[in-house]
Amino acid sequence: MSQPLVGAPHDRVEGPEKVTGEARYTADVVIEGLVHAAVVPSGIANGRIVAVDDSEARAAPGVIEVMTHHNAPRVSAAKPADSDSLLFLLQNDRIEFDRQPIAVVIAQSLEEATYAAQLLHVRYEADHPETNFDAAPRYVPKEIFGEPATHQRGDPEKAFATAPVRIEQTYRTPTEHHNPMETHGTVAQWNGEHLTLHDSSQWAFGVQRRIAKVFGIDAEQVRVIVPYVGGAFGSKGQMWSHVALAAMAAKLVGRPVKLIVTRPQMFGWVGHRPQTEQRVALGAQRDGRLVCVTHDVLSETSVSDEFVEPCAVFSRDLYAVENYGMSHALPRLNISKPTYQRGPGESTGSFAMESAMDELAYEIDIDPLELRLRNYSERQPDSGKPYSSKQLRQCYARAAERFDWGRRVPQPRSMNEGRLLLGLGMATASRNTHRTAAKVRIRANSDGTVVVACGTIEQGCGSPTVYAQLASEILEIPFERVRFEFGDTNLPEAPLAAGSQTSGSVGSVVVKAATWLRDKIADLGGTIPPNGIVLDVADEPGENDESYATQAFGAQFAQVVVDPDTGEVRVVRFVGAFDGGRILNAKTANSQFVGGIVWGISMALFEKTRYDARTARIMNANLSDYLVPTNADIPNPEVIAIEADDPHINPAHVKGIGEVGITGAAAAVANAVYHATGVRVRDLPITPDKLLV
Amino acid sequence: MLSRRRFFFRAAISTLAAEVALHFRAAAQRLPTVRPNDAAAGTSAARAITINVNGVERTMRVEPRVTLLDALRDRLGLTGTKKGCDQGTCGACTVMVNGRRIDSCLTLAVMHTGDRIVTVEGIAQNGSLHPVQRAFITHDGFQCGFCTPGQIVSAVALLNEGKRLDRDTIRTEMSGNLCRCGCYPHIVDAVLEAAGTS
């Protein structure tokens, strides 16, 4: 065997394709007879369309059809399930958010479609949009991701009233748009009553079922092909309106249609992380032991649909504290529906909770790391379940050592680097990981090669590489002989590639299938028959998924410098240590951890979607005004993977690692900024104006 | 990254251009499939232009409004160059024009008659990856891969610019190419390595 397999830092198998431009993404798909669609977004955020004059657009060269609510095919935009999203499919004249799709222009070329879209004259009757997060009517959702939105253990109110030390603060995080580098897009082609979609999605099967509902056809009549996905971070987990609009347009014109969402439209209907306001109250003994925590969350949702940012899940499942209370409530605004974004709830919730812990550490004058250790939980505090594994102590210790946390002078504004203020901060990272049902087809060919096929997708997490590593180790064959196929509903069904669940779910069924194949080949005396061996294998969560708490953990340490004259913050060093279970590939895992940290730094310092308070229209819908980090903004994060076998969690012994890296990272930066400046910023992002006080 | 304004005044063409053109001539042997969009090229405003792409003279009919990016992708079938924003803010569409890296979404195809364009498809030579490409794979300088063609072209052009490169210089010089997966440190590692070996 050429190299050790599972855990080895193998290069990505699709690397050569990705560095030469051969890798195909949805927008690269070409089909004979393809025409182009341009979406026309609304110019108001609340009201109705009174009139559409499409004569000029229709007369423009190359235009084939203009689809509006007057002539769009009648389809179902309703939600088949609570977890789905309402679609905006030109079925009526109502508008409820900025950039809602109101028409689609289909033309021979992209240029013709884009130009004609500007020739559509729309007359609106505009109503006053609700934009005030603080004053808008709010309600309590029934549940958050299947769990209670409001929950209590012990008596937090009473405990708080008598606690020797009390911290009570409000933290805010802004609306943030995912902005993967590849915008969303769909190529739709009908063949009679059968539909083929090429789509940039985190879940081919979710799109297949939803689009079937839209058209009232069977899921079997739809095939969804997902080429390489150019980033998603949660935004491609739902099927959004443009997917159906592309299929409707293709039906209307009787030709295959390519519809690519533009960058400014990425701020329209494809989801975003909602802004939150979080009130965190900590009650503690003088020695730092927590006696109560309450975490009350407001997160924005749209006027007709519901998404809850489950911020308090982070604080619920973290520290050993007897009395705990949490609540979530939703102000309804004229915005598009929010959705999950990398570490939903945990990234925003950890900013609030871990900032509050830092405030408590200063209040009682103990080391912030020591404060976490004094509240370390050996069992998941709320469920009482044992953790399948927990290496958080080692994360704290190893990261603190690498970071040289011991050099920190506790007093704020007491360390310098030349004329710059130097600050050190830390926070805990934690993310629940899950496992859901998944299927694969495994085939051994007579030439000794093996193909593992699964309808999951590749969005940069390394699927084709890590599952080949898992299978080849079990089969005891060279890694190069195993090929992983993905990205098609014609392959066995995989779950949504999100929520840190893919490696646990797909990984487990790969283990099961490879084990079966190894035994089968052994039964056949070590030979593979000329026509090969093939089997479909399914796997679903077992007893352990109920009896153990499954969480990834980590410790985040940030070092910042702040210019005292300009308020400019730069993160100059970052160390993260993570407990992600067994690491399948040291190289790709490192990239995911680093990527998470980069997102945390970005959340701390840069990202914020700005709404006009009068019109509810987005003012920075592009990548020069909506700030994401550039290369020069990011230091070289040092990542330590604390590996320990976790036989309880799932057959692959892995925890999802795509999200834990962002949790706690923004708090670590904010805490470092406080240490540097003595200014506590409780309202992200930390922009220079907030430090010049 | 060449700014838009400076681009319009592209008077001084680096002497590197000739070298780069020679360097990439061999790419002529491996033409990707061409899928001309005849309908789009057929309006009265369309005109024939000839540009040198990856060492090969390519003639096509385009309207004046067609960007270099869309001409490469939709007319020549060179879809390796990506459209991330179409506004000159992300760098996913970076190509070399006469040896200098630019955002191909910010320039019109008709302005490039006679120019030498190098896209990501023209970086590898005779089936052998460029040191920058190999280093991106070794250092995992990408995850989803969508910004990668732009990063690769930008990095190759940067090496040709002849600056003294250390970590901080590379971070600044590569800041015209956004990567949302957060691979920046690994991109810097890759460029550093390639700078030492190429």
Side-chain angles (χ1 to χ4, degrees):
Chain A
M1 222 164 293
S2 50
Q3 290 181 53
L5 297 171
V6 172
H10 269 295
D11 294 342
R12 287 171 200 268
V13 294
E14 79 281 15
E17 278 179 75
K18 286 185 173 173
V19 300
T20 55
E22 282 172 24
R24 288 284 178 270
Y25 298 79
T26 297
D28 306 334
V29 172
V30 176
I31 293 173
E32 199 60 42
L34 191 68
V35 293
H36 297 263
V39 176
V40 181
S42 70
I44 63 169
N46 189 24
R48 54 181 283 270
I49 300 166
V50 177
V52 181
D53 176 1
D54 62 6
S55 54
E56 212 181 332
R58 283 182 179 279
V63 171
I64 301 165
E65 186 56 86
V66 178
M67 186 167 76
T68 67
H69 66 282
H70 294 300
N71 64 342
R74 294 302 108 181
V75 293
S76 171
K79 290 164 56 148
D82 282 348
S83 56
D84 290 316
S85 295
L86 275 176
L87 300 175
F88 296 87
L89 304 181
L90 318 181
Q91 301 298 297
N92 57 52
D93 61 0
R94 294 294 314 166
I95 293 169
E96 59 174 70
F97 61 89
D98 182 27
R99 288 157 217 264
Q100 178 183 317
I102 56 169
V104 177
V105 177
I106 304 112
Q108 298 286 350
S109 76
L110 176 61
E111 289 80 10
E112 287 162 342
T114 306
Y115 175 64
Q118 296 164 29
L119 301 177
L120 199 70
H121 300 290
V122 181
R123 200 147 55 78
Y124 301 105
E125 188 177 272
D127 295 328
H128 176 72
E130 183 58 78
T131 63
N132 192 327
F133 182 88
D134 300 314
R138 58 187 65 158
Y139 72 103
V140 176
K142 268 189 250 155
E143 54 175 31
I144 44 171
F145 297 115
E147 297 186 84
T150 303
H151 170 72
Q152 193 165 306
R153 65 177 185 254
D155 189 342
E157 218 170 292
K158 193 172 148 202
F160 189 74
T162 56
V165 186
R166 278 175 269 181
I167 298 290
E168 190 173 9
Q169 290 294 353
T170 300
Y171 303 87
R172 286 172 178 267
T173 63
T175 304
E176 295 161 351
H177 278 79
H178 307 70
N179 279 308
M181 294 311 301
E182 180 204 25
T183 64
H184 294 236
T186 306
V187 176
Q189 182 175 32
W190 289 91
N191 184 358
E193 290 303 301
H194 289 260
L195 174 65
T196 301
L197 296 178
H198 287 79
D199 190 40
S200 185
S201 168
Q202 287 169 261
W203 195 19
F205 297 90
V207 172
Q208 181 192 39
R209 280 194 284 269
R210 184 68 197 273
I211 198 78
K213 292 278 187 201
V214 168
F215 288 99
I217 58 180
D218 293 333
E220 290 71 34
Q221 291 168 260
V222 180
R223 179 182 180 189
V224 179
I225 298 166
V226 180
Y228 287 118
V229 175
F233 315 109
S235 73
K236 295 170 182 171
Q238 292 272 323
M239 192 195 93
W240 301 111
S241 301
H242 63 274
V243 180
L245 291 172
M248 289 162 64
K251 204 167 189 90
L252 199 59
V253 302
R255 292 177 66 176
V257 166
K258 181 187 281 190
L259 188 161
I260 304 300
V261 176
T262 68
R263 183 58 60 182
Q265 291 172 356
M266 290 293 284
F267 294 77
W269 59 89
V270 297
H272 54 89
R273 196 199 293 283
Q275 68 170 310
T276 73
E277 181 190 290
Q278 306 174 55
R279 185 186 145 277
V280 177
L282 308 179
Q285 305 287 1
R286 286 255 153 235
D287 64 2
R289 278 177 300 141
L290 291 165
V291 295
C292 63
V293 173
T294 57
H295 196 161
D296 297 302
V297 181
L298 291 178
S299 71
E300 64 187 5
T301 192
S302 63
V303 293
S304 61
D305 211 342
E306 175 175 302
F307 176 82
V308 189
E309 177 79 0
C311 302
V313 168
F314 179 87
S315 56
R316 184 193 68 191
D317 293 342
L318 194 58
Y319 295 118
V321 54
E322 208 171 303
N323 304 291
Y324 178 83
M326 71 179 209
S327 71
H328 294 82
L330 308 175
R332 283 201 188 278
L333 303 177
N334 281 103
I335 56 171
S336 63
K337 186 196 179 186
T339 193
Y340 25 69
Q341 183 178 115
R342 201 169 195 169
E346 276 116 335
S347 52
T348 43
S350 62
F351 165 67
M353 179 64 190
E354 291 296 289
S355 291
M357 287 293 278
D358 202 60
E359 300 204 44
L360 175 61
Y362 279 99
E363 180 68 27
I364 56 177
D365 195 21
I366 75 170
D367 185 278
L369 174 54
E370 177 59 27
L371 177 66
R372 269 77 173 183
L373 290 170
R374 287 187 191 173
N375 291 288
Y376 197 86
S377 61
E378 300 295 349
R379 287 179 162 252
Q380 195 177 47
D382 212 76
S383 66
K385 291 177 188 176
Y387 294 108
S388 64
S389 70
K390 182 175 181 178
Q391 312 295 331
L392 180 55
R393 271 188 218 286
Q394 292 84 333
C395 292
Y396 287 136
R398 292 278 301 281
E401 185 192 0
R402 171 80 69 91
F403 188 74
D404 192 12
W405 177 249
R407 75 198 138 115
R408 175 175 172 273
V409 182
Q411 183 67 25
R413 230 181 161 93
S414 59
M415 297 177 76
N416 294 85
E417 193 174 282
R419 55 176 285 278
L420 302 175
L421 304 170
L422 178 73
L424 311 178
M426 62 82 59
T428 306
S430 162
R431 169 73 172 125
N432 284 299
T433 79
H434 303 288
R435 171 186 174 202
T436 48
K439 298 173 185 169
V440 294
R441 179 171 305 139
I442 194 160
R443 172 194 298 277
N445 299 315
S446 56
D447 65 359
T449 58
V450 171
V451 177
V452 182
C454 173
T456 189
I457 57 98
E458 159 57 18
Q459 57 184 335
C461 300
S463 322
T465 311
V466 299
Y467 300 127
Q469 285 178 267
L470 258 181
S472 59
E473 178 171 276
I474 292 165
L475 292 164
E476 298 177 22
I477 60 174
F479 168 69
E480 294 73 18
R481 289 217 201 136
V482 180
R483 189 160 54 83
F484 185 77
E485 289 180 351
F486 59 91
D488 193 332
T489 51
N490 280 358
L491 301 177
E493 180 160 354
L496 168 64
S500 294
Q501 68 180 7
T502 301
S503 58
S505 308
V506 176
S508 292
V509 69
V510 168
V511 166
K512 191 172 175 179
T515 307
W516 172 86
L517 181 61
R518 182 192 62 196
D519 296 347
K520 182 75 183 174
I521 293 171
D523 287 349
L524 294 171
T527 59
I528 300 167
N531 55 351
I533 305 170
V534 62
L535 184 75
D536 283 5
V537 181
D539 179 66
E540 50 189 48
E543 276 175 24
N544 277 7
D545 296 271
E546 281 302 310
S547 48
Y548 288 97
T550 54
Q551 267 173 264
F553 295 97
Q556 310 268 31
F557 288 78
Q559 179 172 331
V560 304
V561 291
V562 182
D563 188 312
D565 297 326
T566 66
E568 183 193 17
V569 179
R570 298 198 69 83
V571 178
V572 292
R573 190 163 182 230
F574 204 104
V575 176
F578 301 100
D579 162 18
R582 180 163 74 146
I583 296 300
L584 297 177
N585 179 317
K587 187 175 286 189
T588 60
N590 177 275
S591 290
Q592 284 203 69
F593 288 133
V594 169
I597 290 168
V598 170
W599 273 65
I601 293 171
S602 183
M603 187 179 166
L605 299 181
F606 302 117
E607 294 186 47
K608 177 174 182 167
T609 303
R610 296 175 190 277
Y611 291 95
D612 183 302
R614 296 157 303 168
T615 64
R617 300 202 66 198
I618 296 171
M619 301 188 292
N620 58 343
N622 58 68
L623 290 177
S624 65
D625 296 311
Y626 182 92
L627 300 184
V628 298
T630 68
N631 202 320
D633 293 314
I634 297 300
N636 191 3
E638 297 156 62
V639 165
I640 305 163
I642 307 292
E643 273 204 85
D645 192 34
D646 186 343
H648 304 304
I649 192 164
N650 52 49
H653 298 194
V654 299
K655 299 178 179 181
I657 57 170
E659 297 174 287
V660 66
I662 185 177
T663 67
V669 173
N671 295 342
V673 168
Y674 175 75
H675 182 236
T677 62
V679 180
R680 177 68 66 181
V681 179
R682 302 186 183 92
D683 176 18
L684 294 182
I686 304 169
T687 44
D689 54 296
K690 295 174 186 172
L691 299 176
L692 296 174
V693 290
Chain B
M1 185 66 58
L2 194 59
S3 77
R4 184 175 191 168
R5 193 170 58 85
R6 280 173 64 201
F7 175 76
F8 282 111
F9 290 97
R10 65 199 153 89
I13 293 169
S14 163
T15 50
L16 284 169
E19 289 170 37
V20 171
L22 272 176
H23 186 57
F24 289 106
R25 190 157 295 159
Q29 317 310 321
R30 299 176 301 104
L31 285 184
T33 315
V34 178
R35 297 177 185 276
N37 189 334
D38 295 332
T43 65
S44 57
R47 62 198 64 190
I49 60 164
T50 299
I51 53 178
N52 184 300
V53 183
N54 299 330
V56 187
E57 300 291 321
R58 309 292 297 268
T59 300
M60 59 184 145
R61 283 185 66 79
V62 290
E63 295 173 299
R65 64 182 168 183
V66 175
T67 63
L68 178 59
L69 171 62
D70 287 329
L72 292 168
R73 287 180 54 82
D74 292 349
R75 275 60 170 189
L76 300 183
L78 294 170
T79 55
T81 306
K82 300 300 184 217
K83 184 183 285 185
C85 69
D86 217 17
Q87 298 178 310
T89 59
C90 78
C93 66
T94 304
V95 300
M96 277 185 258
V97 174
N98 301 327
R100 306 189 70 166
R101 45 188 171 144
I102 67 157
D103 290 335
S104 61
C105 73
L106 285 187
T107 185
L108 301 170
V110 293
M111 296 160 66
H112 292 283
T113 297
D115 280 347
R116 295 181 174 278
I117 314 290
V118 176
T119 70
V120 69
E121 289 93 343
I123 300 291
Q125 293 297 298
N126 302 321
S128 171
L129 296 180
H130 186 280
V132 165
Q133 291 171 314
R134 283 203 299 274
F136 265 69
I137 294 174
T138 308
H139 292 280
D140 214 29
F142 53 89
Q143 291 180 45
C144 79
F146 195 80
C147 73
T148 313
Q151 303 274 4
I152 297 271
V153 173
S154 197
V156 170
L158 172 61
L159 296 189
N160 290 340
E161 283 162 20
K163 294 188 182 71
R164 211 181 63 77
L165 296 176
D166 57 20
R167 254 199 121 76
D168 284 346
T169 322
I170 294 169
R171 286 168 70 199
T172 306
E173 291 291 331
M174 292 296 292
S175 278
N177 294 85
L178 297 179
C179 166
R180 190 62 161 154
C181 295
C183 299
Y184 294 132
H186 299 160
I187 290 169
V188 176
D189 293 339
V191 177
L192 259 183
E193 180 176 300
T197 59
S198 59

